[in-house]
Amino acid sequence: MTSELGAKAPKYQRIADELRRDIKNGNYGPGERLPAEAALLERFRATFPSLSMETLRSAIRVLRAEGIVEARQGVGTFVTANRRLQRRSRDRYGRARTDGKLLTAHLRHEIPFAGRGPVPEHVAQAAGMDPGERVVIRRRVLSDRESGRPQEVGASYIPLGFAAGTFLEQPQVVPKALFLCIEDLSGKRYSRARDHWQWRMPTAVEAEALQISPGTGVVHVVHVARAEDDTVLEVSESVWPADRIEIIDEYDVTQQPEDADGRSDI
């Protein structure tokens, strides 16, 4: 996206436009670090003598929001090297049932914690559970295999009724898709799911884990999966840097009205 205002555009937008052109023309290649802020400030003060550091940072934030560059905490700002991670929620189970695995082979899975604990309030609210109810918690970190950079942090919350005392309490990657393990243990099949999406600023813990600056937004989803009898089988939450994720939602368009007046709730 470029500014259509030309010389009338704000300083930060004009600087963002120029840096965007530099990247498009190959002056800064994929994965390459942009010059330090001090060097960029000196460069653009030739055009804008009174340019402030905050205005320069506003220009860089524009490019980060567009996914063109990404900030690495304590290191610098880099041209985005990889395409955005694509997440397709609606067909995640069907694809996994074909071979028992999710299509994330390019990511390294780590389980830093697995054990019992209280369900967080926001998770309990999404799932209709009692706040503080004890469950089996499996925390995960997914990182790019090539660069080692973390791409996702999250956790799964599984009822004690069928998860207590099982291998799900061990901090190890399970041998097949987690939901297939839960189906085996519970004797029930995943039947219905509901996703709760948020776009927000990261917590300090999330920013550190994802190696992003506190000013980089994140996408947060809480996924509640139920059996045919409405039993909650799993609540999973995932947090991704907003500039590294692309959400794809593909579905059939209903031919029936949503209510008696023929109106939907959109």
Side-chain angles (χ1 to χ4, degrees):
M1 181 182 298
T2 58
S3 172
E4 297 179 355
L5 297 177
K8 296 182 180 180
K11 290 180 184 178
Y12 76 90
Q13 186 66 67
R14 293 166 65 184
I15 293 170
D17 288 348
E18 188 165 338
L19 288 172
R20 192 187 297 105
R21 282 193 297 271
D22 285 345
I23 294 169
K24 184 178 180 180
N25 293 336
N27 295 346
Y28 305 115
E32 186 176 344
R33 180 179 175 179
L34 293 184
E37 289 181 340
L40 289 175
L41 190 66
E42 181 178 357
R43 168 187 168 182
F44 286 107
R45 273 183 174 166
T47 305
F48 309 105
S50 60
L51 180 66
S52 68
M53 182 64 76
E54 181 54 34
T55 299
L56 174 66
R57 288 172 177 167
S58 294
I60 295 174
R61 282 195 289 268
V62 169
L63 300 182
R64 280 170 37 201
E66 295 174 2
I68 295 173
V69 302
E70 54 191 10
R72 300 182 190 176
Q73 193 169 17
V75 180
T77 300
F78 293 75
V79 178
T80 303
N82 302 313
R83 61 180 174 83
R84 294 188 181 210
L85 184 65
Q86 294 185 344
R87 308 299 289 186
R88 299 173 182 264
S89 295
R90 287 179 183 253
D91 62 350
R92 61 185 291 190
Y93 296 110
R95 289 181 296 131
R97 289 190 191 281
T98 60
D99 60 4
K101 299 179 181 179
L102 293 177
L103 301 181
T104 54
H106 62 292
L107 298 176
R108 183 178 69 248
H109 294 230
E110 298 176 75
I111 307 297
F113 173 83
R116 304 181 194 187
V119 65
E121 183 176 352
H122 68 281
V123 172
Q125 183 177 3
M129 303 169 72
D130 294 328
E133 177 181 337
R134 292 188 66 78
V135 294
V136 169
I137 302 173
R138 291 179 58 83
R139 302 196 184 281
R140 64 183 177 277
V141 178
L142 275 61
S143 304
D144 184 86
R145 287 190 181 277
E146 293 185 5
S147 68
R149 295 186 61 213
Q151 300 292 332
E152 173 189 328
V153 294
S156 289
Y157 306 91
I158 309 158
L160 289 179
F162 52 82
T166 72
F167 62 93
L168 296 185
E169 292 194 75
Q170 301 300 316
Q172 300 171 348
V173 176
V174 292
K176 56 185 177 181
L178 179 61
F179 83 92
L180 293 175
C181 298
I182 292 174
E183 287 186 340
D184 290 343
L185 292 170
S186 67
K188 298 182 179 183
R189 189 178 176 89
Y190 281 52
S191 176
R192 182 165 54 90
R194 183 185 181 105
D195 290 343
H196 301 250
W197 294 94
Q198 290 184 13
W199 281 257
R200 58 172 175 79
M201 292 294 105
T203 65
V205 172
E206 291 166 349
E208 181 178 3
L210 291 168
Q211 298 178 11
I212 59 177
S213 67
T216 299
V218 294
V219 178
H220 179 193
V221 62
V222 177
H223 177 82
V224 183
R226 299 178 182 272
E228 290 184 356
D229 62 2
D230 209 39
T231 300
V232 173
L233 295 178
E234 176 197 1
V235 183
S236 174
E237 65 175 336
S238 300
V239 178
W240 305 283
D243 58 357
R244 299 185 211 159
I245 186 74
E246 180 180 9
I247 308 300
I248 299 175
D249 195 10
E250 185 174 357
Y251 48 89
D252 293 332
V253 177
T254 179
Q255 302 302 312
Q256 301 298 324
E258 295 296 320
D259 58 30
D261 298 325
R263 298 173 299 175
S264 73
D265 58 357
I266 297 177

